[in-house]
Amino acid sequence: EEEVVDLRTRLSKKVTKKKEMAADHAREMQEMHSKMEILNSEMREMAAEMTTLKSKACEEMAQMKTSMEEHFTETQGITNKRLQEVEIQLESALMEKRDADEQAAAL
């Protein structure tokens, strides 16, 4: 009968140990689940921030493009005006040369 009591005691201890291990495992699983929820929440926040940053970057790129186009148009206008001035000066110089050539030929 002592053997039966001893077996029951050992079996009871094993069952208790298994229950404790199962409870520990359940706690660990719950902790991991909580950590996963926190990580998922942080990932959603980061995705939202990235979307915002992407939107801002696109907006800034559009503004830069507009600014560059305006600068190009302005520069092109200045260049065209300067070309017209040089063209007028060149025509004037050619006319003066032709007049001088005609005067020299008349002499």
Side-chain angles (χ1 to χ4, degrees), residues 1-98:
E1 189 166 306
E2 281 183 37
E3 285 183 30
V4 172
V5 170
D6 188 42
L7 282 174
R8 281 186 182 159
T9 302
R10 283 192 292 165
L11 188 60
S12 175
K13 286 181 181 178
K14 283 185 179 182
V15 168
T16 302
K17 182 105 172 145
K18 295 277 185 190
K19 285 181 181 177
E20 288 172 357
M21 288 174 63
D24 288 345
H25 182 69
R27 264 191 306 280
E28 288 173 3
M29 292 298 286
Q30 181 59 40
E31 287 175 10
M32 285 179 71
H33 180 72
S34 295
K35 288 178 182 177
M36 292 282 284
E37 285 180 346
I38 291 168
L39 286 173
N40 280 336
S41 175
E42 289 174 353
M43 285 176 63
R44 280 191 293 274
E45 287 175 17
M46 288 174 72
E49 286 177 27
M50 287 180 70
T51 301
T52 301
L53 288 172
K54 180 182 173 187
S55 176
K56 284 182 181 178
C58 288
E59 199 174 294
E60 288 176 10
M61 291 288 283
Q63 288 174 353
M64 285 175 58
K65 181 181 180 220
T66 301
S67 176
M68 288 176 73
E69 287 171 345
E70 289 171 355
H71 179 70
F72 175 76
T73 302
E74 182 181 330
T75 303
Q76 189 178 31
I78 291 169
T79 302
N80 286 342
K81 183 178 177 187
R82 183 70 184 125
L83 279 173
Q84 287 173 346
E85 291 171 358
V86 169
E87 191 176 346
I88 290 169
Q89 289 173 352
L90 191 60
E91 286 177 10
S92 176
L94 284 173
M95 287 172 65
E96 286 176 16
K97 183 182 181 307
R98 190 176 34 218

